[in-house]
Amino acid sequence: MAKYRPWVVCCFTLAGLICAVAIICLCISSLVDRGCPGGSFKRAAVSADSRLCSDIGRNMLQQGGSAVDGAIAALLCTSLVNPQSMGIGGGSIFTIRNKTGNVKVYNFRETVPKSFKTNLLNDCPNTFRLSTGGQWIGVPGELRGYEAVHKQYGRLPWPKLFEPTIKLAREGINMPPYLAKLMNSSIVKSHVEKSSLCEVFCNKNKKVLSTGDILTFPKLAESLETIAKQGADAFYTGKIGQDLIKDIKDAGGTLEMEDLKSFQVQVVDAWKVPLGDSQMHIPPPPAGGPLLAFILGLMKGYHLTQSSLQGHQKKTLMYHRYIEAAKFANGQKRSISDPGFSERKKADHLIDPSFIKQIRERIFSNRTHDNSYYNNVRPSSDHMGTTHVSVLDEDGLAVSATSTINQLFGGAIYSPRTGIILNNELADFCGRADTVRAGEHPPSSMTPVILESKSGGLLVIGGSGGSMITSAMALSIMNRLWLGMSLKEAIAAPIVFVDSRNNVNFEPGFDKSVIEGLRALGHKVGDWKYFLNVVNGVEKEDGCIVAISDSRKMGVSAGY
Ligand SMILES: *[C@@H]1O[C@H](CO)[C@@H](O)[C@H](O)[C@H]1NC(C)=O
Ligand SMILES: *[C@@H]1O[C@H](CO)[C@@H](O)[C@H](O)[C@H]1NC(C)=O
Ligand SMILES: *[C@@H]1O[C@H](CO)[C@@H](O)[C@H](O)[C@H]1NC(C)=O
């Protein structure tokens, strides 16, 4: 029997050691695994408006993509599944936190074209109604924005992000349940059937598609394919742009090729707002971040805890104070404007502790006031629309992205040459500004935020639903941070929406006895019917990731 040479023995020992170390590592990692409760993820997650798009975003991450790759792919997908909310004919705001904790805001919402209708604001509706008409089309920023964030943070090749959506657009998707439900309402049905959107969303009898039908986007598939191959320039300087401009002109719009060519993405630092044990990073004006921070700043002073919702009296008082804060926020809406136009007001007072304290002293626990008390003199109209996607990747890159074409299907203008649905973003000036300038961003309620806690936790969250965004976000964050709810409960809890006339509107399911209590305090209850408030979020705490897509829009998150 041959003896083993010493180096062979050594080899075996070494192999044994490596084996032992590997086994210990496996044991530790499985212990860590067991630490994450069911339904949560260990590495990364995407919360988009639909399961299909969350999955597409997650697949990008699993193929080595960054959170930005995931967000772009999920949004492209959303332009098919929720085409009423966003698309490449619109714009977005991305709040991005890099691994070292630096938070930047990329604003590529639509801007006012060089030439626009004189006295545009005279066309603003006085009552709630969708603004149709070519005069409201702003310069789309979506693809320039994707290009900018992809250049900075992308890891997958640009065409890859478009692949799944091009395939779906060409082969078709089952009519998405939420879209089918929306199209089944008489207002939306006639809105679509009477407009050029009917080319995509109607059957051959010119009736809107419904559950069980297949929705295809053949023209959009072609455009997306070209953009995937040639880059955003195909849209901003090339043939797609030229075709789009022709269709916009046919629809009575004023955009020129020059407007597309000169579109620029704005990159700024996020504003940092302390919220007790957390720090919130908000997008500054023209985004709605300061309004959200203002409400939360006011509420922080009440030292809310889980017990603030226990018992009729405490619960009524909590919501009463929130409603008062929201009324003051309505009165401050006009301080949000594009800071690039220097004569405009700045909004930094909204995050100034002494201003917040001064306002809090004007909130009484036993009464409410007339609109003039809150400086709410000229109500703006309330809109709905928009989408949000939150993404957190394995490397710790976090993306909070809100994207829009403004109202439902924008202004209901479809470009037949390109398959693109156009925004009606300029309607966002209505009730919130007295003038409109070429190049200006309209004021927005969009407010994709990222919160970090002292213990290293992250919450990547944002909402949609036009002016309901601020309410939906403020209440979700209060519920999560202070009122003892899980992220799922925080988002699901019925909201109270204080509309632009300071009427108080309760989402179905809201506590009836609290409603009576609030009525008794003098609040006027409104009859708002469209609760399209939708909040999506991803949270990381103690190494586990919880991802929630709002069930109001039938959303489902994805992760691994
Ligand atoms: C994060 O952003 C800051 C500021 O742009 C930069 O200095 C830093 O290197 C970035 N960190 C990473 C990991 O990219
Ligand atoms: C559409 O609306 C009708 C009546 O308004 C209702 O009976 C039907 O169930 C709805 N269908 C869908 C798919 O929501
Ligand atoms: C409300 O409370 C204030 C003190 O906080 C008091 O001065 C005032 O009389 C009260 N008003 C009503 C209507 O009870």
Side-chain angles (χ1 to χ4, degrees), residues 363-367:
I363 295 179
F364 295 93
S365 54
N366 56 1
R367 61 165 304 184

Side-chain angles (χ1 to χ4, degrees), residues 1 16 31 38 49 55 83 87 140-141 199 221 242 274 295 325-326 335 339 373 375 386 422 426 520 533 557:
M1 204 169 81
L31 274 178
D49 270 345
D55 282 351
E199 184 170 331
Q242 287 156 5
I295 294 180
S335 36
Y373 186 73
N375 189 31
T386 313
L422 286 148
L426 303 191
N533 47 300
S557 305

Side-chain angles (χ1 to χ4, degrees), residues 167-325:
K167 188 167 183 319
L168 293 171
R170 187 159 285 143
E171 293 172 5
I173 52 176
N174 286 319
M175 189 64 182
Y178 184 77
L179 184 59
K181 188 176 140 193
L182 210 58
M183 293 269 206
N184 196 29
S185 80
S186 54
I187 298 176
V188 179
K189 187 182 288 186
S190 73
H191 191 60
V192 171
E193 287 175 355
K194 277 192 304 206
S195 74
S196 51
L197 293 167
C198 206
E199 184 170 331
V200 179
F201 300 103
C202 294
N203 59 23
K204 53 182 184 303
N205 303 323
K206 300 282 168 225
K207 296 283 167 222
V208 290
L209 299 175
S210 58
T211 309
D213 290 332
I214 301 287
L215 176 59
T216 60
F217 301 83
K219 260 294 167 204
L220 183 62
E222 271 175 43
S223 295
L224 289 175
E225 192 149 57
T226 306
I227 293 160
K229 281 193 194 124
Q230 300 174 6
D233 280 350
F235 182 100
Y236 288 93
T237 60
K239 174 82 166 38
I240 294 174
Q242 287 156 5
D243 285 345
L244 189 70
I245 295 296
K246 280 183 204 147
D247 285 340
I248 290 174
K249 291 209 162 131
D250 289 349
T254 54
L255 266 66
E256 301 281 351
M257 211 52 211
E258 188 47 39
D259 293 309
L260 292 181
K261 282 184 184 153
S262 57
F263 187 90
Q264 285 193 341
V265 178
Q266 288 183 352
V267 189
V268 296
D269 287 325
W271 284 5
K272 223 189 272 185
V273 182
L275 276 185
D277 282 343
S278 298
Q279 183 106 255
M280 183 167 69
H281 300 273
I282 60 168
L291 289 173
L292 173 68
F294 177 60
I295 294 180
L296 292 173
L298 286 168
M299 295 309 292
K300 189 180 60 166
Y302 298 117
H303 309 288
L304 303 175
T305 64
Q306 198 158 357
S307 80
S308 310
L309 290 182
Q310 281 159 10
H312 170 81
Q313 247 172 354
K314 278 203 230 164
K315 193 170 175 185
T316 306
L317 178 60
M318 200 306 285
Y319 281 108
H320 166 69
R321 284 168 167 163
Y322 167 76
I323 291 165
E324 291 297 291

Side-chain angles (χ1 to χ4, degrees), residues 63-128:
Q63 291 168 63
S66 70
V68 159
D69 294 321
I72 294 173
L75 284 175
L76 287 167
C77 164
T78 302
S79 73
L80 309 186
V81 176
N82 284 303
Q84 79 282 5
S85 300
M86 58 81 59
I88 60 172
S92 292
I93 300 174
F94 275 40
T95 301
I96 302 179
R97 180 186 188 276
N98 77 8
K99 203 164 52 175
T100 33
N102 185 279
V103 188
K104 289 261 186 295
V105 173
Y106 288 73
N107 179 2
F108 41 102
R109 275 182 97 238
E110 303 88 326
T111 53
V112 179
K114 285 222 166 56
S115 129
F116 54 92
K117 190 174 176 187
T118 28
N119 302 324
L120 177 69
L121 297 182
N122 291 349
D123 291 0
C124 289
N126 292 319
T127 54
F128 178 81

Side-chain angles (χ1 to χ4, degrees), residues 453 455-458 480 539-546:
S453 67
S455 54
L458 277 182
R480 179 67 193 106
E539 173 186 77
K540 183 167 190 173
E541 230 170 57
D542 302 326
C544 297
I545 299 171
V546 172

